[in-house]
């Protein structure tokens, strides 16, 4: 009798031990990295995960900027079937944390000393009430202009350093039958261009007041009127087929020489590189006119799921994401720079080095700012309210005065 129960207990214990040791780490990863450059980048993570014995189930939801992915996420969580790992960033991390559905990944973060490896500004986005709730992969810069080098040379155009220069260059291209601005008419792309104009025309302090602090005086100011005036001018620089176009197809227009410029974050560089193009020779990068740096940090949050295979998968994924080699290879493909501060940038190109240097300088000068268009500055309700107005203005003949009034009202109603 006694022997039997000892045997039963021993068997149970060894079974538990076996399960713990041999559970295959599993993840189901929801992300929106489906363009050429993006898919190549996320492939680096898939391969590393597999080489550590993990099983990766892909849940890609196409749609730049992630709006569709976030809708899919909400549906999965509401149906009680959250994916294990989700591409999630900025205040949305906190919003999901408040819903009580995120896992705590502090054990990995503390073991791997993330506090020592990340700048404070990035680490703070990854923490929820002092615990680690997300792992960062990169720093994307949003305020970039990309150009086809041959097209600019052919028309004797330099990279613009002011918005007035940009307008002149665009007019010149237009007169020569080249589409000046490759753009896709999707709300998040309109918002991306808009925030670079806010930063450029208003300056970093104005950007902070208007798009981070949501200060009513800034939202209705003459400066904001000028921003909408510039948006109206830029509406005249896009081609007729722009509605609904994906951002990477807009990048392809610059790659092919069909268009001169694109204003887009440096994930666009991932497309140029995937097409075999070289910065400085085939394409040019420059920050959009004006001071400051708009950052967009991609990260992954783990959702609360049961089962040792899934939990191990989450911990492994978190560890790999912050791995030194992964941060290098992934970002070489993605167009961004590593979130970790100790990754050598020797193999990175001139655009990445500019990004890294200007990020450091702007952090010191107080002009390192979160991108509103990419969900780093505001909660969803507020950023959505702003984007609705920006896109309504861009796609109609609304006056700039009406736009600023509408903006202030929309922001107030979203609070
Ligand atoms: C951004 C994201 C980037 C890039 C881009 C286009 O929001 O941070 O990594 O993928 O969307 O899809």
């Amino acid at each position: 009798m006694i022997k039997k129960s000892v045997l039963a207990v021993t068997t149970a214990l060894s079974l538990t031990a076996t399960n713990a040791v041999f559970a295959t780490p599993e993840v189901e990863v929801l992300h929106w990295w489906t363009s050429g450059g993006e898919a190549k980048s996320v492939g680096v993570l898939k391969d590393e995960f597999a080489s550590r014995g993990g099983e990766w189930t892909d849940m890609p939801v196409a749609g730049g900027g992630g709006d569709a992915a976030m809708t899919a996420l909400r549906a999965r969580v509401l149906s009680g079937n959250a994916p294990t790992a989700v591409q999630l960033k900025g205040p949305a991390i906190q919003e999901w944390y408040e819903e009580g559905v995120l896992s705590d990944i502090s054990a990995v973060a503390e073991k791997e000393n993330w506090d020592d490896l990340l700048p404070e500004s990035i680490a703070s986005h990854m923490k929820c009430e002092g615990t680690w709730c997300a792992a960062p992969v990169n720093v994307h810069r949003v305020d970039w202009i990309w150009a086809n080098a041959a097209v600019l040379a052919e028309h004797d155009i330099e990279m613009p350093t002011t918005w007035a220069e940009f307008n002149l260059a665009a007019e010149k291209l237009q007169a020569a039958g080249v589409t000046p601005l490759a753009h896709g008419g999707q709300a998040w792309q309109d918002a991306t261009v808009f925030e670079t104009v806010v930063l450029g025309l208003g300056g970093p302090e104005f950007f902070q007041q208007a798009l981070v602090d949501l200060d009513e005086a800034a939202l209705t100011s003459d400066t904001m009127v000028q921003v909408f005036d510039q948006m109206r001018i830029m509406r005249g620089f896009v081609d007729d087929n722009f509605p609904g176009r994906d951002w990477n197809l807009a990048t392809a227009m610059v790659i092919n020489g069909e268009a001169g410029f694109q204003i887009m974050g440096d994930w666009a560089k991932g497309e140029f590189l995937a097409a075999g193009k070289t910065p400085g020779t085939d394409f040019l990068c420059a920050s959009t006119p004006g001071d400051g740096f708009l950052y967009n940090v991609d990260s992954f949050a783990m959702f609360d799921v049961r089962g040792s295979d899934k939990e191990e998968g989450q911990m492994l994924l978190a560890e790999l994401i912050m791995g030194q080699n992964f941060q290098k290879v992934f970002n070489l493909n993605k167009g961004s720079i590593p979130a970790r501060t100790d990754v050598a940038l020797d193999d990175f190109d001139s655009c990445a080095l500019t990004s890294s240097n200007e990020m450091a300088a702007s952090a010191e000068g107080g002009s390192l700012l979160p991108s509103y268009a990419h969900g780093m500055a505001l909660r969803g309700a507020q950023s959505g309210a702003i984007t609705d107005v920006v896109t309504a203005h861009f796609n109609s003949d609304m006056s700039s005065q009406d736009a600023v009034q509408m903006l202030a009202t929309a922001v107030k109603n979203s609070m």
Side-chain angles (χ1 to χ4, degrees), residues 30-36 38 59-72 87 89 186-189 244-248 264 267 298 334 373-374:
L30 192 162
H31 63 89
W32 65 89
W33 286 334
T34 56
S35 77
E38 290 175 331
M59 191 187 169
V61 181
D67 293 340
M70 292 301 101
T71 305
Q87 185 187 349
K89 54 188 173 162
Q186 296 176 344
W188 73 271
Q189 293 188 57
R245 177 187 288 133
D246 287 327
W247 67 273
N248 52 316
M264 187 50 65
W267 46 94
D298 284 310
K334 189 72 170 69
H374 291 276

Side-chain angles (χ1 to χ4, degrees), residues 4 35 121 147 166 193 205 210 215 235 247 256 266 269 281 288 293 305 329 391:
K4 242 189 183 174
S35 77
S121 52
F166 175 82
V193 173
E205 220 172 290
D215 174 64
R235 173 67 179 78
W247 67 273
N256 301 334
D266 42 22
K269 195 181 73 185
T281 314
T288 50
F293 185 113
V305 286
V329 182
T391 204

Side-chain angles (χ1 to χ4, degrees), residues 242-304:
F242 87 103
R245 177 187 288 133
D246 287 327
W247 67 273
N248 52 316
L249 300 182
T251 310
M253 291 169 70
V254 179
I255 294 176
N256 301 334
E258 225 178 292
F261 299 108
Q262 183 183 23
I263 294 176
M264 187 50 65
D266 42 22
W267 46 94
K269 195 181 73 185
E271 298 306 298
F272 284 101
L273 298 179
K277 303 295 178 188
T278 309
T281 314
D282 302 315
F283 69 97
L284 308 174
C285 62
S287 57
T288 50
D291 295 334
F293 185 113
L294 300 181
Y295 70 84
N296 170 25
V297 176
D298 284 310
S299 47
F300 282 86
M302 309 302 159
F303 277 66
D304 204 8

Side-chain angles (χ1 to χ4, degrees), residues 189-241:
Q189 293 188 57
D190 300 339
T192 301
V193 173
F194 171 77
E195 73 174 346
T196 70
V197 178
V198 171
L199 179 66
L201 290 181
E205 220 172 290
F206 179 76
F207 184 98
Q208 170 79 33
Q209 290 163 355
L211 297 183
V212 183
D213 302 339
L214 302 178
D215 174 64
E216 194 178 343
L219 290 173
T220 55
S221 62
D222 289 347
T223 307
M224 195 56 92
V225 170
Q226 286 165 28
V227 168
F228 280 105
D229 289 347
Q230 176 63 22
M231 289 301 286
R232 176 64 65 237
I233 294 172
M234 291 166 91
R235 173 67 179 78
F237 295 148
V238 308
D239 67 322
D240 289 344
N241 294 326

